[in-house]
């Protein structure tokens, strides 16, 4: 059995401030340390529960956060960016997916570092009319490759998002309780390590018992809408001919297959993010 880990940073143990997640800030070293800490715990748990191999996709920012020196054998690291499928690059061919260090979608009240893909660019994203964050979009990509989401780690707000969108089956590791966007009551690393590891073991057991259904992603045809913070970002995005402008800040693209739609999110948000003013 092969486990795929998509590893973000905002939901990791002890991370509460945006500076801890930003390359170039003195606090960034802490964010990197905690992403490695939580990924190691999840990978160890998966391997001890019988997984043969773990592939970790570094999925935050420049995607060079995880220090490979901290990973043990039978764990590979997909490091760097850009990658065609971004946070889900390389998931195909595994047996189940873990989302480590994830966070709630943009606009969620009392949620640590809530955002969707790019905090400065994206106000909201809908897929076939349903508002989705990184959790839902990436779970849909996983599902399109036949992969169930077995474990998610983050704060209590993300746990509510998991239950609302993916149901009761995924195992959840709640390492902090949000007190606001930039504040949380956090487990210590000494406690969260064993906790995440135990949850990873439980997730692998549930995968083996086929107790985790696939996220329902419909018939494969999609209407994806991205609403930006500013009209300038929309002006930049609509240089892509396939996009239809639905208003001052919103674009739509229609397509088939979640791999294609996830690549659209990367292209649209990347281009919109170049706009100033
Ligand atoms: Zn992130």
């Amino acid at each position: 059995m092969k486990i795929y880990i998509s590893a973000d940073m905002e939901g990791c143990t002890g991370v509460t401030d945006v500076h801890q997640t930003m390359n170039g800030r003195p606090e960034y070293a802490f964010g990197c340390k905690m992403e490695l800490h939580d990924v190691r715990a999840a990978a160890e748990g998966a391997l001890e529960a019988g997984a043969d191999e773990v592939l970790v996709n570094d999925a935050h920012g420049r995607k060079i956060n995880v220090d490979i020196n901290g990973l043990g054998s039978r764990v590979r690291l997909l490091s760097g960016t850009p990658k065609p499928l971004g946070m889900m690059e390389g998931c195909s061919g595994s047996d189940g997916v873990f989302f480590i260090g994830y966070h709630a979608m943009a606009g969620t009240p009392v949620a640590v570092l809530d955002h969707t893909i790019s905090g400065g660019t994206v106000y909201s994203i809908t897929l076939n009319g349903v508002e989705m964050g990184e959790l839902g979009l990436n779970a849909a990509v996983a599902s399109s490759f036949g992969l169930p989401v077995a474990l998610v780690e983050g704060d209590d707000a993300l746990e509510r998002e998991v239950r609302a969108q993916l149901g009761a089956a995924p195992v959840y590791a709640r390492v902090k309780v949000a007190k606001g966007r930039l504040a949380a009551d956090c487990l210590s690393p000494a406690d969260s390590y064993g906790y995440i590891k135990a949850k990873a073991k439980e997730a692998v057991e549930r995968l083996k018992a086929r107790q985790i259904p696939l996220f329902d992603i419909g018939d494969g045809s999609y209407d994806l809408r991205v609403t930006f913070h500013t009209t300038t970002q929309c002006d930049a995005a609509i240089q892509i001919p396939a996009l239809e402008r639905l208003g001052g800040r919103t674009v739509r693209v229609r397509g088939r297959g979640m791999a294609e739609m996830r690549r659209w999110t990367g292209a649209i948000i990347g281009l919109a993010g170049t706009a100033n003013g």
Side-chain angles (χ1 to χ4, degrees):
M1 173 179 280
K2 180 174 166 184
I3 296 296
Y4 176 85
I5 298 180
S6 174
D8 206 351
M9 188 181 283
E10 290 86 348
C12 288
T13 302
V15 173
T16 57
D17 192 277
V18 70
H19 289 175
Q20 294 165 335
T21 70
M22 288 173 68
N23 196 321
R25 288 277 180 177
E27 301 89 341
Y28 171 67
F30 172 78
C32 290
K33 185 175 173 186
M34 299 324 294
E35 185 174 330
L36 175 61
H37 175 273
D38 292 6
V39 162
R40 276 184 65 156
E44 259 184 45
L47 292 169
E48 283 186 20
D52 305 297
E53 190 185 352
V54 175
L55 175 61
V56 178
N57 180 25
D58 198 335
H60 171 81
R62 289 175 62 191
K63 283 99 176 159
I64 51 169
N65 314 289
V66 173
D67 181 349
I68 198 167
N69 288 302
L71 298 177
S73 68
R74 293 188 290 154
V75 182
R76 297 198 338 270
L77 178 66
L78 235 171
S79 182
T81 194
K83 299 176 266 208
L85 267 181
M87 299 179 83
M88 295 304 289
E89 180 61 29
C91 68
S92 158
S94 59
D95 298 286
V97 167
F98 292 180
F99 292 155
I100 296 299
Y102 268 47
H103 51 82
M105 72 173 79
T108 305
V110 195
V112 175
L113 297 168
D114 66 291
H115 69 281
T116 300
I117 303 175
S118 170
T121 306
V122 176
Y123 181 83
S124 67
I125 292 180
T126 64
L127 186 71
N128 289 353
V130 178
E131 191 166 354
M132 288 204 179
E134 293 165 35
L135 172 88
L137 293 167
N138 293 342
V141 172
S143 193
S144 73
F145 287 104
L147 307 175
V149 177
L151 173 70
V152 183
E153 182 227 3
D155 69 358
D156 59 317
L158 180 65
E159 184 173 16
R160 289 188 286 278
E161 192 171 315
V162 167
R163 297 307 173 219
Q165 298 202 317
L166 305 185
V171 177
Y172 196 84
R174 184 179 61 244
V175 295
K176 53 196 168 191
V177 175
K179 298 296 176 185
R181 185 168 197 274
L182 301 176
D185 178 342
C186 307
L187 287 183
S188 73
D191 286 336
S192 76
Y193 198 90
Y195 171 69
I196 295 166
K197 192 169 160 179
K199 291 290 185 180
K201 285 184 178 179
E202 186 186 340
V204 168
E205 295 302 335
R206 281 203 207 174
L207 278 174
K208 285 183 189 165
R210 302 191 181 282
Q211 290 173 339
I212 305 182
L214 289 178
F215 183 34
D216 183 358
I217 52 169
D219 69 356
S221 59
Y222 297 107
D223 173 314
L224 175 81
R225 299 181 191 203
V226 180
T227 299
F228 306 106
H229 289 293
T230 69
T231 49
T232 322
Q233 290 164 338
C234 203
D235 291 343
I238 58 159
Q239 293 177 90
I240 301 172
L243 299 192
E244 186 183 346
R245 189 169 192 160
L246 299 181
R249 299 188 184 92
T250 303
V251 294
R252 166 168 71 189
V253 64
R254 292 190 172 104
R256 283 200 63 81
M258 268 316 297
E260 178 187 328
M261 301 320 289
R262 193 64 180 85
R263 288 169 74 173
W264 272 122
T265 62
I268 293 166
I269 295 162
L271 186 56
T274 64
N276 295 309

